[in-house]
Amino acid sequence: MKKILSLIMLFSLTSCGTLTKKEEFFQIDSTPRGLEVLNEDGESLGMTPLISLSNQKSSSDYFIQGDETKFSHSCGLDWQHSMIPSLLIMPIAIPITPIFSTVFLGIDYLSDNLFSCTDLLYLTPKKELKIVEKEQTTIILPVFDGHKFNIQDLIQNATNKFESEYKLLSYGESLQYFSKYGITEENFWSLQNIKKQSLLKVIRDTDATSIMTLNRKVGGEFEVQIIDLYTYKAKTKKVSIKTKLTNEDSTLKTFAKRYIYFIPNSLSVGGLKTDGYFEDDDEGSFSSSMKNPNNLHWLVSMWSFSSVSSPYLFNPWDFDFRLSPQISLPSFRAEFPNNYSINLNTYNASYDLSVTGHTPLGSLSMSLGAGVGYFEGEDSVGKSIGDTTPLFHLNLSYVAFLNERFFFKFSLDQNHYFGDSEKINGYGLDRTSTLSYNIGYYFPELQSFFR
């Protein structure tokens, strides 16, 4: 078990590109637009402008159908996901860890994960070619405090003032695409704050070439403009539109909307070891931890619903905090003196204040909260046990996202129970401590729906 745990920790700390590499996209544009782009294998990628999946090699070649000119897309070393994570372990146990670093970097190189390519590739043919007009689609950037206004009426009034017609996705459709990639928090609803890779995925899914921005001014006045998503140049002049304020929020409510959540945004399952600590009336105590034989397997002895912060929304070095519910269901077997035992399932729910620090290696979080716990089980003589008690919850965790949805989580959870709980063989359950590794799934849409 210790060897397995050591390997897990080693891979978690190194986070080499082959394990945590995230798909990267980049933009391809041309003058004129409407040209067919081919990759170095002669495969068609589509008509410009377009979003392409990066090859993540040091350099890749692209061509325009009907033109022999070669366009190279150069890439730089991926310090965030490959270089820094692999090199950071070198000082841990020289001379052993440099071998791991070299192996990880070699694997990243051979699997095209050593480089990061996110720049725009601009193509200009040397001869006149046939152009295929591409349908122009415009998405709408979600609006900060948009729930207070009649957004559909605002958009309609703005488009009536534009000189040209644009194919607009509805505001509801646009919100769905942004939510798909976790862009559900209002402080990311601006072209300055939104993460580029998240935006590129929205552009890829919608095949949009432009975006409508609605910037709130004083009161119910907005400045509306359509911006090209490839050049970031304005396609229209700014138009001022006034709309009625339908729902005014207090400062406290605005704060609550940004930082307070009512349901978790992730489900994780895993397990490793849960220790149960028991005390009697004379403050005699003992701890016990064994696999609960009623579980499917010791690997899934820990279920939890919690709130995690997606790194796709933050800079490589960043932090955030939030208030949110946490629910955990650790399970274990407690063996008492005199050959007495009980298989316990605990259900813990708390409302926690979490502080998260984001790094290129993953996110580190600490959370504290209070709530209620319920434990139930059956002992070795067939008696059923069950009780409810208030609790204090402490969690320390490390989270590394494998893609936009799935993540690896290594955590320490402690639940301290208060009050006079039902005695088990003369002892009361004082606290549980669970050290676990989990595979989790992130679902921000459900969380935003209830806000």
Side-chain angles (χ1 to χ4, degrees):
M1 177 62 68
K2 290 183 177 179
K3 290 182 179 180
I4 295 175
L5 179 58
S6 298
L7 286 173
I8 292 171
M9 288 298 295
L10 178 61
F11 279 99
S12 300
L13 289 172
T14 56
S15 294
C16 65
T18 51
L19 295 180
T20 63
K21 190 69 175 183
K22 303 166 181 65
E23 285 186 335
E24 287 186 344
F25 296 87
F26 70 102
Q27 296 169 293
I28 301 178
D29 200 0
S30 68
T31 300
R33 288 179 170 178
L35 302 176
E36 185 176 5
V37 180
L38 310 176
N39 63 16
E40 53 194 2
D41 296 323
E43 300 169 334
S44 176
L45 301 178
M47 312 302 292
T48 59
L50 60 90
I51 303 294
S52 177
L53 180 65
S54 170
N55 289 331
Q56 296 173 337
K57 299 189 296 186
S58 58
S59 182
S60 300
D61 297 328
Y62 296 87
F63 302 87
I64 299 172
Q65 180 69 48
D67 190 291
E68 295 79 19
T69 306
K70 180 172 68 175
F71 300 90
S72 295
H73 185 216
S74 299
C75 307
L77 290 172
D78 188 352
W79 292 91
Q80 181 176 341
H81 297 113
S82 181
M83 297 295 294
I84 290 180
S86 295
L87 294 175
L88 276 177
I89 66 166
M90 291 186 67
I92 296 176
I94 294 176
I96 298 176
T97 48
I99 298 175
F100 284 101
S101 296
T102 303
V103 170
F104 289 150
L105 291 173
I107 293 174
D108 287 350
Y109 176 79
L110 294 174
S111 59
D112 295 335
N113 281 312
L114 190 62
F115 300 93
S116 179
C117 320
T118 57
D119 293 332
L120 169 72
L121 177 62
Y122 202 83
L123 313 179
T124 305
K126 292 187 175 180
K127 58 184 180 181
E128 189 172 337
L129 299 172
K130 181 181 178 181
I131 297 173
V132 177
E133 290 291 339
K134 186 173 183 178
E135 186 176 32
Q136 305 293 304
T137 301
T138 301
I139 56 175
I140 303 172
L141 189 67
V143 183
F144 185 74
D145 284 342
H147 65 286
K148 300 179 184 179
F149 303 92
N150 188 334
I151 296 299
Q152 288 301 130
D153 184 62
L154 174 67
I155 293 171
Q156 184 61 51
N157 289 336
T159 53
N160 290 338
K161 291 191 175 184
F162 294 142
E163 296 178 357
S164 301
E165 290 188 3
Y166 294 90
K167 179 190 174 184
L168 273 175
L169 286 185
S170 69
Y171 187 68
E173 286 180 297
S174 297
L175 273 176
Q176 290 178 7
Y177 281 109
F178 281 95
S179 295
K180 178 180 178 180
Y181 295 106
I183 312 171
T184 57
E185 299 181 34
E186 293 181 340
N187 50 310
F188 298 108
W189 291 349
S190 74
L191 291 180
Q192 293 74 33
N193 295 339
I194 193 171
K195 293 288 288 185
K196 184 68 175 290
Q197 282 298 307
S198 297
L199 179 59
L200 292 185
K201 288 164 187 172
V202 173
I203 299 172
R204 175 198 59 179
D205 286 4
T206 59
D207 202 23
T209 55
S210 56
I211 188 167
M212 176 183 283
T213 61
L214 303 96
N215 297 316
R216 182 183 173 185
K217 298 302 179 182
V218 179
E221 184 177 0
F222 283 80
E223 275 190 350
V224 185
Q225 190 173 36
I226 292 181
I227 298 172
D228 191 291
L229 282 167
Y230 289 81
T231 64
Y232 284 89
K233 293 181 179 179
K235 298 182 70 173
T236 67
K237 294 181 179 180
K238 293 180 181 178
V239 296
S240 295
I241 303 293
K242 287 187 177 181
T243 186
K244 292 182 180 180
L245 185 64
T246 60
N247 178 24
E248 182 64 75
D249 283 349
S250 64
T251 302
L252 180 60
K253 188 175 180 180
T254 300
F255 176 86
K257 286 186 59 185
R258 292 190 185 184
Y259 302 111
I260 298 179
Y261 296 80
F262 300 109
I263 65 169
N265 64 12
S266 73
L267 164 67
S268 56
V269 58
L272 188 60
K273 183 180 181 183
T274 296
D275 290 293
Y277 296 86
F278 299 83
E279 289 186 352
D280 61 16
D281 293 334
D282 298 325
E283 296 187 356
S285 64
F286 78 98
S287 63
S288 178
S289 175
M290 295 189 68
K291 181 190 103 172
N292 186 336
N294 295 330
N295 277 335
L296 293 176
H297 195 270
W298 62 273
L299 285 173
V300 288
S301 61
M302 174 70 169
W303 298 72
S304 66
F305 296 87
S306 60
S307 288
V308 297
S309 297
S310 170
Y312 292 92
L313 302 177
F314 297 89
N315 294 319
W317 296 97
D318 210 338
F319 76 95
D320 73 301
F321 69 92
R322 64 182 63 201
L323 281 162
S324 59
Q326 314 284 332
I327 302 171
S328 63
L329 293 80
S331 177
F332 65 100
R333 179 173 186 169
E335 294 201 339
F336 293 77
N338 304 320
N339 296 320
Y340 178 83
S341 64
I342 181 170
N343 299 320
L344 273 178
N345 295 309
T346 61
Y347 306 86
N348 308 299
S350 61
Y351 212 81
D352 291 8
L353 171 63
S354 303
V355 179
T356 302
H358 300 276
T359 77
L361 298 174
S363 303
L364 300 173
S365 298
M366 181 181 74
S367 62
L368 300 170
V372 64
Y374 172 73
F375 60 89
E376 58 86 19
E378 185 176 278
D379 64 12
S380 54
V381 296
K383 178 184 176 182
S384 295
I385 304 293
D387 200 7
T388 303
T389 176
L391 62 81
F392 170 77
H393 177 239
L394 166 67
N395 171 266
L396 300 173
S397 62
Y398 162 81
V399 174
F401 271 69
L402 307 177
N403 55 38
E404 288 91 351
R405 297 290 179 170
F406 289 95
F407 60 87
F408 169 81
K409 181 178 182 181
F410 187 83
S411 67
L412 170 65
D413 280 275
Q414 286 199 345
N415 290 287
H416 295 257
Y417 303 102
F418 301 100
D420 295 326
S421 62
E422 180 178 346
K423 293 292 190 289
I424 304 174
N425 197 31
Y427 289 87
L429 180 61
D430 179 58
R431 69 185 188 277
T432 58
S433 178
T434 301
L435 186 68
S436 64
Y437 57 85
N438 307 269
I439 294 297
Y441 182 78
Y442 175 60
F443 46 85
E445 302 95 334
L446 186 60
Q447 190 177 63
S448 62
F449 177 78
F450 284 94
R451 296 184 70 213

